[in-house]
Amino acid sequence: FLLLLLQFYFANRLFMELGRPQGRLYSPFLRENLHYVSWIRGSILYVANLITHAFGFDTYMIGDKILKVVDGRSVIMARQCVGLEIMGFWAAFILAHSSSWWRKLSWTVAGLFAISMINAIRVAVLLIALEKDWQVITDIEIRHTMFNIAAYACIVLMIVLYYRQSKKHAEATAVDAFLQ
């Protein structure tokens, strides 16, 4: 688990350095064609945009970093806000277990999706809070703490569900083996 977690962390750091124009290892090809952080951030903001529209706010995206209310406030999503470290934690946890590759893939994807949805909800709530001037939610430390608590609570819930399903799967396999 720790080895996978460290691999994900340092791979992300290396990729960020390769995609940073002022970095020593800058690669224009990677920046232009394989910048997965932009894809993840853009999809989170896209979903947040849908959520804000559902609550009656006229919002739009500016590139893959900004969600803005027409004639109003905006949220800028930095790389640190994407949640790559939390996503890496989840992926490392699932991939470290001994189970089928199909099971690992489905649980990893489901967890990454859940974390991204929590993040999209956080961005939407933050933009609504800024627009409505809700001071308690607009404090930067509160925002990051709220996201981390929600994301890790989601991960704990998914871990419980993963272990419950693993136990049921193991019991069913044992029964099948006994009957044969």
Side-chain angles (χ1 to χ4, degrees):
F1 165 74
L2 286 175
L3 251 144
L4 285 169
L5 186 60
L6 289 171
Q7 282 180 323
F8 289 143
Y9 176 78
F10 286 112
N12 278 326
R13 302 301 294 173
L14 175 62
F15 193 84
M16 293 304 103
E17 183 64 23
L18 292 171
R20 200 168 52 99
Q22 57 275 43
R24 290 182 294 152
L25 303 172
Y26 178 59
S27 168
F29 174 79
L30 289 178
R31 174 85 177 171
E32 296 300 319
N33 300 300
L34 299 172
H35 203 269
Y36 63 92
V37 176
S38 292
W39 303 337
I40 296 169
R41 180 175 43 219
S43 64
I44 290 169
L45 289 178
Y46 181 80
V47 172
N49 189 34
L50 294 175
I51 293 168
T52 54
H53 277 273
F55 283 94
F57 290 86
D58 191 13
T59 58
Y60 63 98
M61 290 174 56
I62 301 172
D64 67 344
K65 293 182 182 176
I66 300 171
L67 183 61
K68 180 168 178 41
V69 175
V70 173
D71 297 326
R73 308 296 282 279
S74 62
V75 171
I76 301 170
M77 189 173 206
R79 187 215 61 87
Q80 298 87 346
C81 301
V82 173
L84 292 177
E85 291 79 10
I86 293 172
M87 291 177 179
F89 175 90
W90 175 252
F93 172 79
I94 293 299
L95 296 175
H97 282 84
S98 59
S99 61
S100 71
W101 280 103
W102 173 249
R103 189 161 193 263
K104 288 180 182 186
L105 177 66
S106 60
W107 274 92
T108 300
V109 169
L112 297 178
F113 178 78
I115 293 165
S116 295
M117 290 303 103
I118 290 169
N119 211 348
I121 292 167
R122 173 183 71 125
V123 170
V125 168
L126 175 60
L127 186 56
I128 292 168
L130 287 169
E131 195 63 21
K132 295 275 189 180
D133 204 26
W134 297 340
Q135 294 299 319
V136 70
I137 295 179
T138 58
D139 179 6
I140 193 162
E141 284 305 312
I142 292 173
R143 292 191 315 235
H144 287 289
T145 301
M146 284 175 25
F147 171 68
N148 288 338
I149 289 170
Y152 283 113
C154 178
I155 287 174
V156 168
L157 176 64
M158 290 186 299
I159 287 171
V160 168
L161 293 174
Y162 179 79
Y163 278 125
R164 282 187 182 167
Q165 189 186 45
S166 294
K167 185 177 177 184
K168 286 180 185 178
H169 179 71
E171 289 171 356
T173 304
V175 169
D176 287 345
F178 178 74
L179 294 175
Q180 290 182 10

